[in-house]
Amino acid sequence: MKKFLLILPIVVITGLIFFYKFKEDGASTLNLTVNNEVESFDPAIAFNDDALFIMAQSMETLYQYHYLKRPYEVIPSLADGMPEISNDGKNYKIKIKRNIYYHENSELIPKGRTLIVDDFIWQIKRLAFKPLKSTGRWLFENKLKGFNEFSDKVGESIDAFYTEEIEGIRKIDDYTFEIQLLRPEPNLLYYLSMQFTAPVPLELIKKTDNNLKDVLVGTGPYVYERYAQGKYFLKRFTKFHKEYYPVAGDRYANTENLLSASKKRLPFIENLVIEAIPSEDLRWDKFRNGKIDILDVPKKHLVKLSTSSSDDYQKLVNEGVKVKHFSRQTTRWLGFNMNDPIWGENLNLRKAVAHAINYERYIELLTNNTNLKANSLFNPSIQGYNPSHRLPYGYDIVKAKEYLAKSGYRPGELVLTYSTRGTQKAHMEEAQFLQNQLKRIGIDLKINVLEF
């Protein structure tokens, strides 16, 4: 009996069209929610939705996304304009804004400390520092000149971390630096928009012994104050640099009147309270009781709230709740472990699985028809998306069985292992759906439950 693991890249579903609902009460505090408590605020390590959501309120990066335009457009944040890129695409000269203040909510950095290019350089060095086991190391590994060499030379030594330099990062002055790549990397602007590259002052690194797990200090609009009783408390940063609500957006932004606050200085709200609530039902109850102000509509309520004529929809409207429909840029995919000697070399076996899954049924059962079927690796909000593109495979049980036969296996001979993306109910439902789909062509699917 052959066993192997399903892990890497094939697109199955592009998740789109979620419902948001929110209410406005004119209060100075906005109550929000995340699904789980945050294990680490370290920008070199944190890489899940809950951590990034909270960190984004306090930390900024060189570039950011224009949030009212689709396809997404990268614009400056802490950078003073877009970078100067050499003709060969390997050198980026970046200027940063002046007089950008760090939060003064702790004694970890000096009062009145302002942003300098060194802070970005230290963070990139942290990504390369092996003891941190950074989840963002891949951004620069084998791409940034001298990154790998720095990592190997420094090894586990914190003393060497402080004294050695990365060849491909050259400081020109306190507000200008240059990045030198081994080869052109068209995704670099997107990398520099990720929290992995948020600036970290040297003083902060030294005073925490390079452990930022419980530290959240940045230049962003909100100062992190404390965590208490399952809630994260943040307040408006009075020295936040001048940033204004956008004056332009896409068609949706215009038709939904999202530009009515144009030119107003950010942020709008005085205080944020973000509560970690693992239970979907509890989040819904707290929203209905006025304890949460903005919430994704829980999955089981999607159908009831999908049309404005439904009784449930009208009931919420009468309670002063606004229901907003918009697309969320999320992609779901089924990935194959191409390193497996049997799976990676057996194209017919992979085709059998690709044709065995009913994607329309997946969307119907698991998303209440609120998602779109993917037609490529690109979703509609990414440059390069082509609405006329068609996948080379589709749901076809007859073809799936034919390809299984061509692969050299008969029904009942294979046991595959599917690893879930998490432990929530939706992850288990997805795994069981795939298990039932493959069972129809004679492949057994063992479910391996992983925590994200």
Side-chain angles (χ1 to χ4, degrees):
M1 183 177 291
K2 305 293 184 183
K3 295 185 179 180
F4 43 91
L5 185 64
L6 290 153
I7 319 179
L8 286 172
I10 262 197
V11 172
V12 177
I13 301 293
T14 299
L16 295 168
I17 310 177
F18 276 67
F19 302 116
Y20 260 65
K21 58 187 189 120
F22 63 92
K23 56 182 179 181
E24 301 168 330
D25 56 13
S28 61
T29 298
L30 189 65
N31 297 283
L32 305 171
T33 179
V34 290
N35 294 344
N36 302 286
E37 294 182 359
V38 174
E39 293 186 5
S40 177
F41 285 129
D42 191 331
I45 297 170
F47 195 47
N48 63 65
D49 293 342
D50 297 326
L52 295 179
F53 178 75
I54 298 174
M55 292 167 66
Q57 315 309 319
S58 295
M59 303 190 82
E60 298 179 285
T61 50
L62 285 165
Y63 304 97
Q64 63 182 331
Y65 293 97
H66 191 301
Y67 42 86
L68 294 184
K69 288 186 178 181
R70 303 293 185 274
Y72 282 111
E73 178 183 329
V74 175
I75 59 175
S77 179
L78 293 175
D80 187 10
M82 301 304 284
E84 295 179 23
I85 306 174
S86 62
N87 291 334
D88 62 6
K90 294 194 291 186
N91 291 340
Y92 285 66
K93 185 178 180 181
I94 299 171
K95 293 182 179 293
I96 65 170
K97 295 174 180 176
R98 297 170 182 260
N99 300 316
I100 302 294
Y101 288 90
Y102 278 99
H103 300 159
E104 298 179 348
N105 61 325
S106 71
E107 297 180 355
L108 295 173
I109 57 176
K111 300 293 183 183
R113 172 69 151 84
T114 57
L115 181 74
I116 54 177
V117 298
D118 303 66
D119 305 335
F120 295 100
I121 296 173
W122 283 114
Q123 176 58 10
I124 294 175
K125 289 174 69 174
R126 294 183 77 244
L127 299 182
F129 191 43
K130 290 182 178 180
L132 286 180
K133 298 179 180 178
S134 172
T135 49
R137 179 185 177 92
W138 60 272
L139 295 182
F140 298 102
E141 192 170 32
N142 301 318
K143 303 180 185 77
L144 176 62
K145 189 176 182 180
F147 184 88
N148 292 38
E149 291 78 3
F150 168 87
S151 182
D152 292 336
K153 186 174 183 179
V154 169
E156 304 281 327
S157 172
I158 188 65
D159 292 331
F161 168 81
Y162 288 127
T163 57
E164 296 295 329
E165 303 294 339
I166 295 177
E167 183 182 359
I169 305 178
R170 186 172 72 92
K171 177 182 176 180
I172 298 174
D173 56 47
D174 281 347
Y175 303 100
T176 313
F177 71 111
E178 188 174 67
I179 292 177
Q180 299 175 349
L181 302 174
L182 294 171
R183 62 178 186 274
E185 177 47 73
N187 289 312
L188 186 63
L189 279 180
Y190 302 101
Y191 296 163
L192 298 176
S193 304
M194 299 177 74
Q195 291 294 333
F196 287 131
T197 59
V200 176
L202 176 60
E203 301 94 320
L204 192 61
I205 297 172
K206 288 188 172 181
K207 287 195 175 182
T208 61
D209 293 325
N210 207 10
N211 182 359
L212 304 183
K213 177 178 180 293
D214 300 314
V215 177
L216 182 51
V217 177
T219 61
Y222 288 97
V223 177
Y224 174 57
E225 290 190 297
R226 69 188 186 280
Y227 172 76
Q229 297 180 330
K231 296 180 180 180
Y232 300 89
F233 294 85
L234 301 95
K235 68 176 180 181
R236 187 204 305 258
F237 182 32
T238 56
K239 290 186 177 180
F240 181 57
H241 56 92
K242 290 183 179 180
E243 186 167 339
Y244 299 90
Y245 192 78
V247 298
D250 60 15
R251 178 181 177 183
Y252 179 86
N254 282 275
T255 57
E256 291 295 314
N257 199 32
L258 298 183
L259 295 171
S260 59
S262 292
K263 296 184 179 181
K264 288 187 179 180
R265 188 168 177 178
L266 300 172
F268 299 152
I269 305 296
E270 185 68 28
N271 303 294
L272 297 180
V273 178
I274 305 174
E275 185 174 3
I277 309 175
S279 167
E280 186 179 72
D281 290 334
L282 183 56
R283 291 195 294 271
W284 176 252
D285 290 341
K286 287 204 171 193
F287 175 76
R288 295 301 302 273
N289 292 325
K291 301 295 179 64
I292 300 296
D293 297 320
I294 301 176
L295 186 71
D296 285 326
V297 175
K299 179 180 174 182
K300 62 181 171 183
H301 297 288
L302 286 176
V303 175
K304 297 177 182 179
L305 298 174
S306 60
T307 61
S308 59
S309 60
S310 70
D311 293 338
D312 293 85
Y313 188 105
Q314 290 302 318
K315 184 178 180 180
L316 288 175
V317 171
N318 293 335
E319 292 176 2
V321 174
K322 292 187 177 181
V323 182
K324 290 288 184 180
H325 299 232
F326 64 93
S327 63
R328 167 176 286 179
Q329 316 320 317
T330 302
T331 300
R332 297 287 291 164
W333 69 88
L334 173 64
F336 302 152
N337 179 11
M338 299 299 289
N339 291 323
D340 182 89
I342 298 174
W343 183 259
E345 296 177 5
N346 199 326
L347 177 60
N348 286 318
L349 182 56
R350 300 197 300 272
K351 286 184 176 181
V353 172
H355 285 288
I357 299 172
N358 187 337
Y359 309 109
E360 283 76 13
R361 186 63 172 159
Y362 177 105
I363 294 171
E364 178 184 357
L365 292 178
L366 302 181
T367 77
N368 290 304
N369 287 322
T370 59
N371 283 208
L372 297 178
K373 179 181 175 182
N375 70 355
S376 71
L377 284 167
F378 300 97
N379 74 44
S381 292
I382 296 177
Q383 293 285 355
Y385 173 75
N386 180 357
S388 65
H389 187 267
R390 293 291 180 268
L391 292 172
Y393 58 86
Y395 175 60
D396 190 323
I397 284 290
V398 174
K399 277 189 177 181
K401 291 180 177 180
E402 289 175 353
Y403 279 120
L404 182 62
K406 290 179 182 179
S407 74
Y409 295 98
R410 292 179 297 179
E413 287 187 337
L414 279 174
V415 176
L416 306 182
T417 300
Y418 173 80
S419 297
T420 68
R421 189 174 183 270
T423 59
Q424 295 183 15
K425 182 180 178 182
H427 299 135
M428 294 308 301
E429 289 177 346
E430 182 176 54
Q432 290 163 1
F433 174 83
L434 294 172
Q435 187 180 57
N436 292 333
Q437 293 285 291
L438 296 189
K439 185 177 180 180
R440 298 179 63 193
I441 65 170
I443 295 178
D444 292 327
L445 194 65
K446 177 183 176 182
I447 299 174
N448 179 31
V449 180
L450 297 180
E451 293 186 6
F452 183 76

